[in-house]
Amino acid sequence: MLPAPPATHHLPPRGTSARDWPSFAQESRETLALAIPLIAGQLGHMLMGIADTVMVARLGVAELGAVTFGNTLMSVPYVFGIGLLSSVSVRVSQARGAERPEEAHDALRHGTWLALVLGLLVAGLMFAAVPFLDVFRQSADVTALAPDYLLIVAASLVPALLTVVWKNHADALNHPWPAFWIMFGGILLNVVLNWLWIYGKLGFPAMGVAGAAWATLVSRVATAIGLIAWLMYAPAVRAWTPRRWFERCRRSSFVLLLTLGIPSSLQLLTEVAAFAAAALLIGTLGSVPLAGHQVAITCAATTFMVPLGFAMAMTVRVGEVAGAGEWPRMHRVLLGGWAYAVLFMSVTMIVFLIWGRWIAAQFVHDSAVVEIAAGLLVIAGVFQLFDGLQVVSAGALRGIADVKVPAWIALAAYWGLAIPLGALLAFKVGWGADGMWIGLAGGLAIAAIALAYRAWGRLTDRSAAAV
């Protein structure tokens, strides 16, 4: 029998006040320490995508289009899987706070099987969809090249989703750095294999688009193997990792993971789908506005990785505090997360407002595209504040398993306001891409206010009950 890990926090004697809990500065330092490797991991993932794009782009426009098309098709099930499997973070962090390793074992084991089934299902669907790719009305050369990439990348979704589960487990145990370095090694391996197999270096055949796909598959498999080996044998986490993976699964455990995960996945898909719809609508205005949108959204998505890392840390920290029953600490944890997100996004807002045109010019040289992108970055600078606040609030709510109402808030904000308002301003008022982004900013503002209000209210209720 494995020994239980040492306790991290203990409840004070009955009658003590909230002043006896860790200070705001202490809570904020702990959040920052957990968030830094999570942020680095998210930025690394973005850099891997940029590296893939640059390396494939050297092959030609059709090859880049095929990779972009394949990744677009895979992005929806992948984002759905990320949201669904975030339930593992919630259950494991709460188990850690309550010092119950057996509950962490249960969450990880069932989450692993859930990821495996989802990955195989999506891969099967992608294989079945290959004969029907022409329904997406892409150019003939792109459609012809896409299967070479899509089929292999679809298979790589299985180790990718397993990696999501196992990394969530490591993060929830407050051991994010080993997982980060393992994943960073996978990113470097992907770049090296791209160089070898796309271009045919060191005696390897030049496989082009297929080489990029094989590089993705091999690097994802290697990352998954590295993570599970560390979880099973590292002394720091071994007690929290199940020894028996093939015990009979319980329906109730799957139901609990799905109950937590499905609303979270729908919330993520709601936002991702809204931005995808905005891109499609802007694309009807012409190639120049679409190119400007692509530049601006790339910049905004990159800076968004920082508050997203804080949101992931908030899920773990709030879940751990909830599991330990230390509710009076909640507000200090939440305020720290808000402070970090608003501070960072204020800096990026200033950068976009002052240097937006220069940033856009580093991506493209077309003056018309730069002009549109610079204007969109001004709007992005404003909605950065709302975006940071809403994602941290959603992460905190996820830590106490409050996922259904945030999903409805996201649906109302993005599809009830952002897209209709953006379309009205873009097409009826005639503001073009700027109008669509103003609509997105309005939706993010409503989501941020509603989610922050709910996060504060829910934690106030729980804290009052605890005291």
Side-chain angles (χ1 to χ4, degrees), residues 91-424:
R91 287 203 60 201
V92 173
S93 61
Q94 291 180 350
R96 178 173 179 261
E99 301 176 27
R100 296 172 181 166
E102 67 282 356
E103 293 184 5
H105 297 172
D106 183 81
L108 179 59
R109 190 166 63 88
H110 285 82
T112 297
W113 286 111
L114 189 61
L116 181 61
V117 171
L118 178 61
L120 291 173
L121 178 62
V122 172
L125 291 174
M126 289 298 170
F127 273 74
V130 166
F132 308 100
L133 292 181
D134 56 348
V135 303
F136 293 98
R137 298 185 178 181
Q138 301 296 299
S139 62
D141 50 356
V142 168
T143 302
L145 287 171
D148 293 341
Y149 183 81
L150 182 61
L151 292 176
I152 302 169
V153 171
S156 78
L157 189 66
V158 176
L161 292 178
L162 290 173
T163 297
V164 170
V165 171
W166 298 336
K167 184 180 184 299
N168 285 347
H169 184 70
D171 295 342
L173 295 178
N174 210 355
H175 287 286
W177 278 114
F180 163 74
W181 288 115
I182 291 169
M183 295 192 70
F184 185 71
I187 293 170
L188 293 180
L189 177 62
N190 182 74
V191 172
V192 172
L193 294 179
N194 272 346
W195 181 72
L196 293 174
W197 294 343
I198 292 176
Y199 309 127
K201 302 294 184 178
L202 301 181
F204 287 96
M207 294 186 284
V209 169
W214 280 110
T216 298
L217 175 60
V218 172
S219 62
R220 283 178 170 179
V221 169
T223 300
I225 292 173
L227 266 175
I228 193 59
W230 175 73
L231 287 174
M232 293 186 67
Y233 297 109
V237 295
R238 190 167 52 198
W240 294 90
T241 303
R243 302 290 97 183
R244 299 181 181 88
W245 292 88
F246 296 97
E247 290 182 348
R248 185 175 180 179
C249 293
R250 294 194 299 271
R251 179 181 177 182
S252 59
S253 295
F254 283 125
V255 169
L256 182 55
L257 288 175
L258 293 173
T259 301
L260 294 172
I262 288 177
S264 297
S265 63
L266 293 178
Q267 181 181 351
L268 286 175
L269 281 177
T270 296
E271 184 173 357
V272 169
F275 276 88
L280 292 174
L281 290 170
I282 290 173
T284 65
L285 298 171
S287 59
V288 172
L290 183 60
H293 166 84
Q294 184 60 36
V295 170
I297 200 65
T298 299
C299 296
T302 301
T303 57
F304 178 71
M305 293 300 105
V306 175
L308 178 60
F310 280 114
M312 295 165 67
M314 291 296 293
T315 297
V316 173
R317 297 225 54 227
V318 170
E320 181 185 353
V321 171
E326 300 175 350
W327 294 98
R329 296 173 55 199
M330 288 289 194
H331 287 101
R332 292 171 182 173
V333 174
L334 179 61
L335 286 172
W338 280 349
Y340 284 126
V342 171
L343 177 62
F344 177 80
M345 288 311 210
S346 295
V347 173
T348 61
M349 177 179 68
I350 293 171
V351 170
F352 285 167
L353 292 177
I354 297 177
W355 293 290
R357 187 178 302 278
W358 178 85
I359 293 172
Q362 307 313 300
F363 285 85
V364 293
H365 301 294
D366 187 297
S367 59
V369 175
V370 170
E371 187 71 23
I372 291 176
L376 296 180
L377 284 175
V378 171
I379 302 170
V382 175
F383 80 51
Q384 291 270 290
L385 291 174
F386 299 120
D387 213 5
L389 186 60
Q390 68 88 16
V391 74
V392 168
S393 299
L397 289 168
R398 194 174 297 120
I400 58 171
D402 185 355
V403 291
K404 293 182 180 179
V405 172
W408 285 109
I409 290 174
L411 181 64
Y414 301 130
W415 289 95
L417 176 65
I419 295 302
L421 177 60
L424 175 66

